[in-house]
Amino acid sequence: MNYWQPKLELIKRDELENLQLRRLKSTLEKVYNNIPFYQDNLKNLEIHSQDIQSLKDFSNLPFTRKVNLRENYPFGLFAVPSEEVVRVHASSGTTGKPTVVGYTKNDIDIWSDMMARDFVMVGVNRSDIFQNAVNYGFFTGGLGIHFGIERLGAMAVPSGVGNTERQLEIMEDFGVTVLHCTPSYALYLAETAKAMNVVDKLKLKIGCFGAEPWSEEARKELEDALNIKAYDSYGLSEMFGPGVGFECQEQNGLHIWEDHFIVEILDKNDEPCSPGEPGELVLTSLTKEVMPLVRYRTGDITFSMNDMCNCGRTSIKVHRFLGRADDMLIVRGINVFPSQIEEVLMKLPEVGDYFRVIIDRKRHGLDELTIQVELKDEVFTGELQDLAKIQRNVENKLKSILNIRSRIELVEKGTIPRTVGKSQKIIDKRDVYAKS
Ligand code: DLL
């Protein structure tokens, strides 16, 4: 089986645009008639759903932001009565109330098919045994992925999070062939599998990793360590959850399903970026019933790739995510993305899989960037001068890419805390100082 929904996955561009326009009109009707936030918003701008006659008119519509979800906590953006809502999920930010999203039975169906599409795309089939090692709760990665596995008809192993050794025991005993978790947890699983000497006993062949940014180097590392093909999976609770974008077997960019979303990538002035030019991904949902969102600013930075994909799927492809607009650190006036740091570090043979960026404002209000880097065990020769050499090398490599000098702190393997879910790679201490 190559495609789950071939008609939609291989749809011609003009047919796709007709479908998008039809679905957009019905989405606008829905939000206009049922959601006070959009009623106010669109009325203020004197926009009526009938005004949208082509996808070009679309750019007149106002944006929706995460803060609008918070302001309407918990159910203020729901377009249907609560009798029709069969599930909610929530995602917690670093501050304030979580954002809550809801689903009708039909929303869950669409989401499950979207996930099944993704899994088939990377070669999963009904005979696979699929371990989902993420949190089953408000996080959409638990039930969202789970329902997709069941929809496809593979065997779901809902191992959840925690107890890494037990996770590996299950993987071995059940003959698990597909693994889904965050890439940072996958690295930890790989590290533990090596220490337990079980890698050769595993039957894994495919890894689907997502929910946080990761690098091409991390992919290589995971593929080698676990003998798998590793695929990037992107999604956000506001747009169902996982499944929105997924790599195909080309492993070169993520397909975003344009029958369900209108995709825009916008620059600093909110103008469309050309292919290859990084900008913020803005999504409009076309099929969601409980919480349709118009021009939602994801905060995620990527760029579109304009070549036709060899897999035959016609939907747009975007490059793996470079980070979030709000992850971008401005250090002494220079923009720094943690993904750039990761890319440099993962290429250095002495460096392990974990790093942490600490940014602080100490002397004379100047920002200082410290990067804690875990070294591989074998690098510790006991000779201080060897460490100093590595430190200088890491510092210079980073300087040449980031254009600012950072302080490198080499630490032993195991020093940086392992996480079962999304990892926290940046510790920004500057606010604390600003307040004091
Ligand atoms: O993380 C949904 C998900 C679950 C995706 C499992 C993939 C796998 P939220 O908790 O709402 O939903 O967080 C969404 O996570 O806006 C991105 O900033 C980030 N993110 C998700 N996937 C990727 C990825 C889930 N593949 C937020 N690469 C998004 C980079 C990602 N960032």
Side-chain angles (χ1 to χ4, degrees), residues 24 43 53 55 157 176 190 196 198 231 313 359 384 414 417 432:
L24 175 65
K43 262 183 211 143
Q53 289 311 326
L55 290 173
V157 181
V176 166
M196 286 167 66
V198 294
Y231 298 98
R313 292 170 182 84
I359 173 152
L384 270 180
V432 179

Side-chain angles (χ1 to χ4, degrees), residues 217-421:
E217 284 67 30
R219 183 205 317 264
K220 281 193 208 102
E221 178 112 16
L222 285 168
E223 292 194 332
D224 289 347
L226 293 170
N227 296 320
I228 54 170
K229 283 270 169 217
Y231 298 98
D232 194 2
S233 145
Y234 168 79
L236 61 163
S237 316
E238 297 87 327
M239 297 287 154
F240 295 111
V244 173
F246 220 92
E247 276 183 331
C248 63
Q249 294 183 37
E250 297 287 311
Q251 293 184 305
N252 179 27
L254 296 94
H255 288 276
I256 300 194
W257 299 120
E258 287 178 279
D259 52 327
H260 295 301
F261 309 101
I262 293 184
V263 177
E264 297 174 274
I265 298 178
L266 302 182
D267 69 13
K268 277 198 231 86
N269 305 318
D270 297 340
E271 293 299 326
C273 293
S274 359
E277 183 193 349
E280 181 179 350
L281 179 70
V282 175
L283 294 173
T284 297
S285 69
L286 295 174
T287 46
K288 284 173 73 210
E289 291 182 339
V290 173
M291 206 172 83
L293 294 176
V294 178
R295 303 193 86 200
Y296 182 69
R297 304 203 65 131
T298 65
D300 296 319
I301 308 292
T302 184
F303 55 85
S304 68
M305 305 167 78
N306 64 353
D307 40 325
M308 267 301 291
C309 189
N310 287 337
C311 77
R313 292 170 182 84
T314 46
S315 65
I316 187 173
K317 253 187 1 181
V318 301
H319 184 265
R320 75 160 59 248
F321 286 82
L322 306 172
R324 292 187 51 79
D326 49 16
D327 254 7
M328 188 183 77
L329 299 166
I330 303 180
V331 187
R332 286 176 247 146
I334 293 180
N335 300 350
V336 178
F337 278 106
S339 58
Q340 293 175 297
I341 300 177
E342 173 161 355
E343 224 177 287
V344 175
L345 293 180
M346 296 287 263
K347 278 193 186 127
L348 299 172
E350 303 90 352
V351 169
D353 299 328
Y354 294 84
F355 73 94
R356 202 157 57 170
V357 180
I358 301 164
I359 173 152
D360 212 339
R361 183 166 295 161
K362 277 186 184 151
R363 276 180 294 120
H364 320 298
L366 214 61
D367 294 341
E368 277 186 14
L369 193 64
T370 305
I371 304 176
Q372 281 185 337
V373 178
E374 266 191 24
L375 289 184
K376 293 207 173 116
D377 273 345
E378 53 271 27
V379 183
F380 285 96
T381 56
E383 296 291 331
L384 270 180
Q385 67 206 35
D386 289 346
L387 288 181
K389 204 167 124 200
I390 297 174
Q391 188 172 25
R392 265 200 314 278
N393 184 28
V394 177
E395 241 165 42
N396 291 338
K397 286 263 158 49
L398 279 169
K399 167 87 181 15
S400 69
I401 300 290
L402 305 180
N403 285 325
I404 47 164
R405 194 157 277 292
S406 48
R407 207 167 66 81
I408 303 298
E409 213 176 282
L410 301 177
V411 296
E412 271 177 67
K413 188 168 161 188
T415 310
I416 294 172
R418 296 347 188 201
T419 42
V420 292

Side-chain angles (χ1 to χ4, degrees), residues 35 77-80 84-85 101-104 107 288-292:
I35 308 178
L77 293 184
F78 285 10
V80 301
E84 289 178 38
V85 181
V101 296
Y103 307 79
T104 59
D107 285 334
K288 284 173 73 210
E289 291 182 339
V290 173
M291 206 172 83

